Amino acid sequence: MASPAAKFIFFLSLLTRLFLFAPSLCFLAAAADPVPAPWPHQFHSILFMNRSGKLEMIDLWYDWPKGRNFNIIQHQLGKLTYDLEWNNGTSFIYTLDQNRECKVLNFEVGILRPNWLDGATYLGRRYVDGFLCNLWEKVEFIWYYEDVVSRRPVSWVFLQSGAAAHVMTFEVGSVLEDQKWQAPLYCFQKTKKESLLLESVANVGSHGGLIRGPI
């Protein structure tokens, strides 16, 4: 059985080793890159969108539990356009004015998953719109800025087009009433000859300021 003196010496030895290795352990912890916060399953956001000088205000509703996403887009001094997206890959893009315009897009993927930023590459910290943000790049397609303190999205930029979305409001848990998710009847009343325009698009794309697909 070890004497009290031996135990004390052993304890001092362990303590010395701890102090010697502590700086390297702290360095390893500090070196770990932050990861972006998953998107809330339901939220409402107002976006200011700059598409290389073409300006839009977007009223965005994201509803993952019900598999739907809605962008209500006001073009500067122009049309008010509704972009209604479903997780089955169908989107309706329409107006509610007297022209009754409606177009259907078929995507091979549904709306964004809440964890769509998984696997993004961390690029460090930058100031954007006056906020100190963590910045990530996803598949050389988008830069995503998240506020360091609140972890809310601040901006995202599509690298190919240069289009930039600026987040003006971000209301977690806000839900749009079910009846407002219905596309107008004239989207379904075209004859075969006058059928809705069907478009095939890439798995990864942008529309109405929100990224489309899982990427």
Side-chain angles (χ1 to χ4, degrees), residues 104-148:
V104 173
L105 300 180
N106 281 342
F107 293 81
E108 295 182 11
V109 293
I111 68 172
L112 281 178
R113 305 181 307 268
N115 63 343
W116 66 274
L117 283 163
D118 284 357
T121 302
Y122 183 61
L123 300 181
R125 290 185 171 185
R126 312 278 176 87
Y127 275 97
V128 175
D129 299 336
F131 296 88
L132 178 60
C133 296
N134 286 314
L135 169 62
W136 292 270
E137 178 182 286
K138 188 66 185 285
V139 295
E140 299 181 348
F141 170 71
I142 190 170
W143 278 9
Y144 183 86
Y145 297 87
E146 178 187 278
D147 181 54
V148 169

Side-chain angles (χ1 to χ4, degrees), residues 61-110:
W61 298 88
Y62 178 79
D63 192 345
W64 174 254
K66 293 190 176 181
R68 56 195 187 181
N69 184 77
F70 205 180
N71 295 283
I72 303 172
I73 309 162
Q74 177 61 63
H75 303 274
Q76 186 178 25
L77 299 178
K79 290 182 179 180
L80 180 63
T81 304
Y82 298 80
D83 175 12
L84 176 57
E85 304 168 352
W86 294 91
N87 216 18
N88 63 5
T90 302
S91 290
F92 298 93
I93 300 177
Y94 57 89
T95 63
L96 294 177
D97 57 22
Q98 60 183 3
N99 294 324
R100 293 191 168 191
E101 299 175 7
C102 186
K103 179 170 62 175
V104 173
L105 300 180
N106 281 342
F107 293 81
E108 295 182 11
V109 293

Side-chain angles (χ1 to χ4, degrees), residues 155-206:
S155 176
W156 53 81
V157 179
F158 299 103
L159 299 180
Q160 294 180 354
S161 67
H166 303 265
V167 181
M168 308 302 290
T169 67
F170 193 73
E171 302 170 279
V172 176
S174 292
V175 179
L176 186 65
E177 306 92 287
D178 285 340
Q179 62 268 26
K180 294 186 179 179
W181 292 88
Q182 179 61 54
L185 190 59
Y186 50 82
C187 286
F188 308 93
Q189 288 183 327
K190 302 287 185 179
T191 65
K192 186 173 182 180
K193 186 176 181 179
E194 299 171 324
S195 62
L196 298 174
L197 176 61
L198 298 175
E199 295 187 7
S200 177
V201 297
N203 285 0
V204 178
S206 64

